[in-house]
Amino acid sequence: MEITVSVKDPTPEFESDLLALLDKHRTALRRDPGWNTERARLFCEALTQPRARRILREVVARGGEVAADDLRERNDSSLRGHAGALTRVLKRGATEGWWDSGLKSPLIALGPGSGKVHGYRILDEETLAAFRAALNHPPNEQ
C-alpha cells in the first residue's frame, strides 16, 4: 500500500498529531527524495543570489547543460559565488521542511573537481522538467 499525504495550512494540533503518528511508524515510511515542481518553485524563490539564479535559468533554458564560457560575462571570467548560495538554499529547504535533508542539489558542476568548472548540468531529466515548469509558471501567473 502506498499513501501520499499533503496537508495545506494544518492547524498546530493536527500537525502535531500527524507528526507523532508518522514518528511512531517511521520504519514503514519511505521518503520522497526527488525534485518536483513545487520544490523547484520554492528553491527558485529562495535562491536570491543573482549569479546562481542566472546559472540555474541558463541550464534549464539550454535543455539541462551549459558551458562555463556561455555563462561568463564580457568583463567577468569568474563564476564564483554561486555554490554557497545553492548549498544554503538546499539546507534552508530541509530546515523549513520543504524537502528531505538528503535531497541532492539540482545543479552539478562539470570539470576536474577543483579550480575552474567547465560548465553545469541539471541532476536528471525529471529535475529538468520540474525546474522548467517552476520557471515558466511563477506562482503569480498560476
Side-chain angles (χ1 to χ4, degrees):
M1 170 173 58
E2 182 170 323
I3 300 171
T4 302
V5 177
S6 177
V7 181
K8 196 170 200 166
D9 301 322
T11 64
E13 181 182 4
F14 179 82
E15 182 177 6
S16 177
D17 289 349
L18 180 59
L19 292 175
L21 177 65
L22 293 173
D23 188 51
K24 180 180 174 184
H25 298 282
R26 70 178 162 267
T27 58
L29 298 177
R30 179 183 61 85
R31 295 183 176 252
D32 178 9
W35 286 100
N36 61 34
T37 302
E38 178 63 14
R39 289 176 182 160
R41 185 187 60 74
L42 289 166
F43 188 91
C44 291
E45 287 176 1
L47 187 62
T48 58
Q49 203 273 350
R51 187 170 288 157
R53 284 185 77 108
R54 180 171 171 256
I55 290 170
L56 180 60
R57 286 181 184 279
E58 287 289 327
V59 169
V60 170
R62 294 171 185 252
E65 190 169 320
V66 66
D69 288 340
D70 293 335
L71 294 168
R72 290 191 174 91
E73 296 173 10
R74 204 179 314 191
N75 298 324
D76 183 10
S77 62
S78 174
L79 293 174
R80 293 182 195 183
H82 73 281
L86 295 169
T87 300
R88 282 189 299 276
V89 172
L90 206 53
K91 287 180 181 178
R92 178 181 171 202
T95 301
E96 296 284 336
W98 299 341
W99 46 72
D100 294 339
S101 60
L103 187 65
K104 294 181 180 177
S105 176
L107 290 181
I108 299 168
L110 304 174
S114 61
K116 281 189 174 183
V117 297
H118 297 271
Y120 299 88
R121 74 174 165 83
I122 201 122
L123 188 59
D124 54 37
E125 287 297 319
E126 188 174 299
T127 303
L128 176 60
F131 276 87
R132 185 176 284 137
L135 289 170
N136 288 331
H137 301 287
N140 58 1
E141 291 181 14
Q142 294 178 350

